[in-house]
Amino acid sequence: MQDFLSCEVDLDALSVAGALNLHKHLNTESPLVDVEHLLCHTLSCSRSFFRTWPDQLLTTEQAQAFLSLLKRRETGVPVAHLTGRQGFWTLELEVNASTLIPRPDTECLVEYILSLDLPENAQVLDLGTGTGAIALALASERPAWQVVAADLSDQAVSLAKRNAERNNLLGLEFYCGSWFSALPQPRHFHLIVSNPPYIDPSDKHLDEGDVRFEPLSALVAQNAGLADLESIAEKAGRYLFDSGWVVLEHGYDQGAAVREILQRNGFYSVQSYKDYGSNERFTVGQASGGHDREDLIEGGA
Ligand code: GLN
């Protein structure tokens, strides 16, 4: 690759050579897309610019900057950590090592939630918001909703707030704390969504790919990955209006377990839905009615 620096090099040639090089060093599904993202980041250009002007020549400094990113990518550092950005829904989000990198499959939860018949000014809670991905995507589509986002990590909360600002999404509330105890006072929601940690601590996938660079606290949960899903499901009913929805992301093989958890906690209309890869990826349910909503939050989170 260094040979490229001794001659004039265009985007197209550099992306092909970079992708071949990356393929040799790293088991990535999409070397060419990775390289395109790194080149666009180096040149501060969009991917459409890149596609339109593939014969654009790079300066030696630009080629050098790209090569140093490529070297780090070869060691496995996620593209999103190298560029500091990740697209989610229609938004561009800042990402860093304090949270999960938003996954395309999580957009399936957003799509499902937008298909529900919720009130015009619905109150919505995103637990474990990380970059703010789900909360911000919902707020961008439903500006009249009151969206509340919470995370245990204060770095994640700061990141999510920055992402709200950079996408001009105002009016969300952000809180730091563990699950429902992050809320400054008890209140009810029409919908609670969460993409909590759900990977079994002994899962071998934790040693592969991008997850090696993400915080374990955002990935791993005890009890075969179900502990946090369970603790959210146990309390969610108390924070939902009658017939309010809970929408939980989970592992590809956890659908049956999460359905059982929700049913055991009194939810009805319990159903799992698939992600883009046809794996069961999230399960939903509605809170049973009949409670006195005035005092049910006593004892809180
Ligand atoms: N879906 C992610 C993965 O399998 C994990 C996200 C999570 O634990 N919430 O890598």
Side-chain angles (χ1 to χ4, degrees):
M1 284 298 293
Q2 284 296 337
D3 301 348
F4 269 89
L5 298 184
S6 56
C7 58
E8 282 196 322
V9 55
D10 67 35
L11 270 178
D12 213 19
L14 200 52
S15 61
V16 172
L20 286 171
N21 212 54
L22 190 54
H23 180 67
K24 258 195 276 169
H25 292 92
L26 184 74
N27 181 18
T28 164
E29 279 169 25
S30 50
L32 199 52
V33 177
D34 290 7
V35 162
E36 276 184 22
H37 278 294
L38 297 181
L39 277 169
C40 290
H41 177 70
T42 309
L43 300 182
S44 306
C45 74
S46 65
R47 283 178 79 200
S48 47
F49 177 94
F50 179 98
R51 291 277 164 82
T52 315
W53 309 103
D55 51 359
Q56 146 133 348
L57 294 177
L58 280 83
T59 65
T60 307
E61 290 73 32
Q62 287 170 330
Q64 238 149 8
F66 165 72
L67 286 186
S68 78
L69 287 176
L70 190 66
K71 276 212 158 51
R72 292 178 63 207
R73 179 67 188 127
E74 284 167 13
T75 67
V77 179
V79 173
H81 285 177
L82 294 172
T83 62
R85 300 283 178 271
Q86 174 72 30
F88 182 83
W89 199 249
T90 59
L91 311 172
E92 187 184 73
L93 301 176
E94 178 189 335
V95 295
N96 63 35
S98 70
T99 70
L100 279 191
I101 300 165
R103 316 281 203 263
D105 287 322
T106 302
E107 293 177 350
C108 298
L109 281 75
V110 172
E111 206 172 336
Y112 175 80
I113 293 169
L114 294 174
S115 77
L116 292 173
D117 187 19
L118 294 176
E120 185 85 20
N121 58 350
Q123 311 275 319
V124 172
L125 173 64
D126 176 15
L127 285 176
T129 196
T131 57
I134 298 176
L136 297 174
L138 293 176
S140 74
E141 296 289 338
R142 298 284 186 271
W145 286 5
Q146 182 55 51
V147 180
V148 178
D151 204 285
L152 180 60
S153 152
D154 52 0
Q155 284 167 294
V157 172
S158 306
L159 180 64
K161 282 183 184 167
R162 284 202 298 281
N163 278 325
E165 274 162 36
R166 62 179 286 132
N167 286 285
N168 293 317
L169 296 166
L170 310 169
L172 290 93
E173 294 170 57
F174 295 94
Y175 299 112
C176 188
S178 173
W179 305 130
F180 294 99
S181 62
L183 297 171
Q185 67 252 331
R187 58 198 272 193
H188 293 124
F189 296 91
H190 298 94
L191 183 139
I192 296 169
V193 57
S194 183
N195 175 14
Y198 53 69
I199 300 180
D200 183 310
S202 65
D203 191 319
K204 62 177 176 25
H205 292 108
L206 292 167
D207 300 326
E208 296 167 10
D210 286 3
V211 287
R212 292 170 296 163
F213 297 84
E214 295 175 301
L216 274 181
S217 58
L219 293 167
V220 163
Q222 297 307 310
N223 188 18
L226 295 170
D228 289 307
L229 286 158
E230 259 182 317
S231 97
I232 294 169
E234 277 163 13
K235 292 174 188 117
R238 283 187 256 162
Y239 292 83
L240 284 166
F241 287 117
D242 291 350
S243 307
W245 291 89
V246 66
V247 177
L248 298 175
E249 181 169 325
H250 52 69
Y252 70 97
D253 55 355
Q254 293 172 330
V258 177
R259 287 194 295 279
E260 193 277 316
I261 290 169
L262 286 180
Q263 276 152 356
R264 177 166 17 105
N265 284 285
F267 286 87
Y268 68 96
S269 308
V270 171
Q271 203 171 334
S272 300
Y273 292 89
K274 292 185 174 167
D275 61 18
Y276 295 130
S278 297
N279 296 304
E280 279 188 340
R281 180 57 62 190
F282 66 100
T283 296
V284 309
Q286 283 184 275
S288 304
H291 302 296
D292 175 0
R293 294 282 159 189
E294 289 312 308
D295 59 13
L296 73 181
I297 295 185
E298 286 299 304

